[in-house]
Amino acid sequence: MEKVGIVGYYQVQLESESNYGRYEVIFEAVRGALDNAGLKKKEITTVISCTNDYYDGRTISNAFPVEVGGAYLADESKVEMDGAHAALYGLMRILSGNHKLAVIWGGSTPSCYPYHSARLFETDPTWERPNAFVNDITAGGFQMRAYMEKYGVSAEDIAKVAVNNRKNAAKNPLSLKEAQYPNLTTKEVLESGNYADPVTELMVSPLCDGVAAILLAPEKQALKITDKPVWITGVGYNQETYYLGDRDLSTSKSMESAGKMAFKAAGIKNPKDEIDVAELSEVFAHEELIFSEALGLAEKGQGAKLNYGINGDLPINPSGGALGGNPPCATGLIRIIEAVKQLRGEANGYQVKDAKKAIASGQIGMCAQNNILYVLEGGN
Amino acid sequence: MGRQVAVVSAGFSEHASKRTDVSMPELVSEAILDCLKNVPSVGIEDIDAFVNGNMPAFEGANVPELWMTDWMGARNKPLMRVTTGGTTGATTGWTGGTRLSAIVINRHPRI
């Protein structure tokens, strides 16, 4: 594969209610990414945006932010999944040989719309939607219960993930302020509000406004633009079946397949030893454990035994992950950006020592039906 | 222009002003089956990857590509959805071409 590099990035400050308009947030992210790489708007050849019509509350949601996203008279398209999937289309466009600089941006402002109501439209229209007890939060409850029952994992083990990530978030100035807990205990997590038993409030990633953007360029251009490009060496993406009752929620088949595909492309045989840092989109605390097991970082049911702190054997979500703020359509893209920061040594306050290879993931659907995984490598 | 790609088959569902006899995924499966019927040498097991184009806000189901997964034959296979309003159809075809040009499909070890 021709090498494709991430040459610039920007993430806006995550806020539960940003006090400026959504176009301004998008402009800040795209302008910030261009400035980060020292480039001008005229150098953009293609823009891939990621928004969701339901989350935006309007149809054809990519038609409106054309100018602020840098897409005026550029070859623009929209992937309506997660920002990490939009980056995949950007990667394809660069690899096809048609483009030299791709802007990928994704995000939304859930302070303006009822996110959980919008997600009701993601449930099975015939069998699940009429029964109002199936929604994105209760589905997370089914998933956590299935995982705990199958492998005998305790709620404390899962609460520890929330503690770790929210403590990490306190070190990340761009994470959501309300998600930062520098002195959190597992007891406080378990005793926070009951969302969908056994899921409690602090185990759920908090919704927030946010937009992120990255720039992709082919090898030759990337080396001209920056002396610190981060290369995409592998991508895998996959989804499992739709109806929740047909799925084994105690594991993640789609993440397993995505991992196999990405690791094969990157020539990684033993991810546990070769990966230095992981940024996984965990909408719920237990999903981080399920994902790390699906990726072969731990045996099935043993994810909680991993030493996943910032100074651990395999740091997972040193930035705080999605538990440090979950802006729909940007979360996966932010994971990529956080992995890039680690590889470039720019993660001030939560830097993992000597990070050379990183993985970053994004997800969509109920109980992460669809997952995408990137393998990223630093150095030129 | 990168690697050249060709369209080898196309398929349609049965068109009518109101298809009250099928659901949205069933309508999609009609088109997929028709498309495969036109190239007898290709089976659904030969398909490496899928591109879906759909306007979810027009029909009342978000992330429809996940709903249609099994009806497209896309379970456990790479899938991406593009959504650009009235241009979605052509965008989908172009995305499929770009994907092949880039060889971003399953069987190639380097992405």
Side-chain angles (χ1 to χ4, degrees):
Chain A
M1 183 184 107
E2 193 193 350
K3 277 165 104 177
V4 174
I6 298 171
V7 296
Y9 65 84
Y10 191 90
Q11 181 214 319
V12 304
Q13 171 73 48
L14 300 182
E15 288 179 60
S16 57
E17 193 166 350
S18 53
N19 59 355
Y20 55 141
R22 57 173 109 179
Y23 297 110
E24 289 173 278
V25 192
I26 297 163
F27 179 80
E28 185 192 329
V30 175
R31 181 77 256 173
L34 287 172
D35 289 344
N36 178 266
L39 296 173
K40 296 227 154 25
K41 191 200 153 287
K42 64 177 183 201
E43 289 167 278
I44 300 170
T45 66
T46 182
V47 175
I48 309 292
S49 61
C50 179
T51 50
N52 184 299
D53 291 359
Y54 277 82
Y55 303 167
D56 257 31
R58 57 187 177 179
T59 184
I60 325 181
S61 52
N62 63 321
F64 308 96
V66 164
E67 292 85 356
V68 289
Y72 179 65
L73 293 182
D75 189 350
E76 189 267 354
S77 195
K78 182 180 85 170
V79 175
E80 198 176 88
M81 299 172 87
D82 184 88
H85 297 83
L88 170 70
Y89 191 17
L91 174 71
M92 288 177 193
R93 286 198 159 188
I94 299 276
L95 283 175
S96 72
N98 293 331
H99 289 288
K100 297 221 166 2
L101 183 71
V103 171
I104 289 97
W105 70 262
S108 65
T109 47
S111 61
C112 309
Y113 63 83
Y115 174 78
H116 297 293
S117 307
R119 286 208 66 184
L120 279 179
F121 290 90
E122 295 177 23
T123 54
D124 188 302
T126 317
W127 306 109
E128 289 170 350
R129 210 184 294 171
N131 305 322
F133 57 84
V134 181
N135 57 46
D136 57 321
I137 300 286
T138 54
F142 302 153
Q143 190 185 26
M144 179 168 163
R145 181 64 75 194
Y147 176 65
M148 286 167 65
E149 294 284 317
K150 175 102 178 247
Y151 299 110
V153 177
S154 68
E156 283 79 18
D157 284 338
I158 288 159
K160 273 181 198 157
V161 176
V163 169
N164 178 64
N165 290 8
R166 286 173 183 274
K167 276 187 178 169
N168 287 350
K171 296 175 184 145
N172 176 2
L174 290 180
S175 70
L176 181 67
K177 246 192 199 82
E178 292 85 337
Q180 301 179 3
Y181 286 81
N183 303 309
L184 192 62
T185 62
T186 49
K187 193 164 172 270
E188 283 168 326
V189 173
L190 292 171
E191 287 173 4
S192 58
N194 186 3
Y195 263 39
D197 186 61
V199 171
T200 64
E201 183 179 351
L202 291 176
M203 294 179 191
V204 184
S205 56
L207 277 180
C208 57
D209 294 351
V211 178
I214 61 170
L215 305 179
L216 296 180
E219 184 173 12
K220 232 165 115 188
Q221 271 76 18
L223 289 171
K224 271 187 216 158
I225 294 167
T226 171
D227 50 3
K228 285 198 288 187
V230 168
W231 307 110
I232 298 175
T233 54
V235 190
Y237 44 110
N238 216 296
Q239 70 287 315
E240 43 203 285
T241 190
Y242 179 63
Y243 183 59
L244 284 175
D246 289 339
R247 290 169 57 188
D248 178 2
L249 296 176
S250 70
T251 181
S252 175
K253 257 191 202 162
S254 56
M255 187 56 107
E256 206 173 314
S257 316
K260 273 186 195 148
M261 187 175 164
F263 293 147
K264 188 177 173 194
I268 289 177
K269 298 216 164 55
N270 188 349
K272 197 183 168 192
D273 298 335
E274 293 178 53
I275 303 294
D276 300 316
V277 56
E279 280 284 341
L280 305 175
S281 279
E282 67 334 351
V283 170
F284 299 97
H286 59 266
E287 283 184 349
E288 185 177 304
L289 303 179
I290 293 175
F291 290 160
S292 55
E293 290 164 22
L295 290 169
L297 306 178
E299 294 292 317
K300 286 274 158 75
Q302 306 292 312
K305 297 203 173 110
L306 266 177
N307 189 358
Y308 47 68
I310 291 179
N311 300 314
D313 307 328
L314 205 171
I316 301 178
N317 287 328
S319 69
L323 285 170
N326 179 18
C329 296
T331 309
L333 199 55
I334 292 174
R335 302 282 72 76
I336 294 176
I337 290 176
E338 291 297 347
V340 168
K341 282 187 193 168
Q342 293 290 351
L343 296 171
R344 285 168 61 141
E346 294 170 0
N348 291 332
Y350 52 100
Q351 179 67 43
V352 172
K353 245 181 143 186
D354 297 326
K356 301 256 167 4
K357 269 187 201 181
I359 52 174
S361 83
Q363 63 150 293
I364 57 163
M366 291 290 155
C367 300
Q369 188 191 342
N370 176 302
N371 281 292
I372 181 165
L373 184 83
Y374 284 80
V375 181
L376 305 168
E377 288 178 37
N380 50 15
Chain B
M1 187 66 205
R3 200 171 81 139
Q4 294 294 309
V5 297
V7 177
V8 295
S9 180
F12 298 89
S13 66
E14 199 182 308
H15 286 50
S17 61
K18 274 190 184 138
R19 285 290 304 274
T20 51
D21 56 326
V22 289
S23 70
M24 188 67 202
E26 286 168 333
L27 203 61
V28 171
S29 77
E30 276 184 18
I32 300 257
L33 290 171
D34 187 43
C35 189
L36 288 170
K37 205 171 82 190
N38 295 335
V39 271
S41 61
V42 176
I44 192 74
E45 66 280 2
D46 300 315
I47 307 297
D48 291 319
F50 293 77
V51 176
N52 179 310
N54 190 285
M55 281 304 296
F58 292 175
E59 89 211 6
N62 199 9
V63 290
E65 76 278 21
L66 298 183
W67 182 24
M68 295 164 190
T69 293
D70 284 359
W71 285 267
M72 288 188 291
R75 192 192 289 194
N76 299 330
K77 284 187 179 178
L79 164 72
M80 188 169 88
R81 174 165 62 91
V82 285
T83 290
T84 56
T87 54
T88 296
T91 300
T92 310
W94 178 246
T95 308
T98 309
R99 163 174 259 169
L100 278 175
S101 286
I103 329 182
V104 189
I105 47 172
N106 208 0
R107 294 200 181 157
H108 297 269
R110 305 295 293 171
I111 286 201

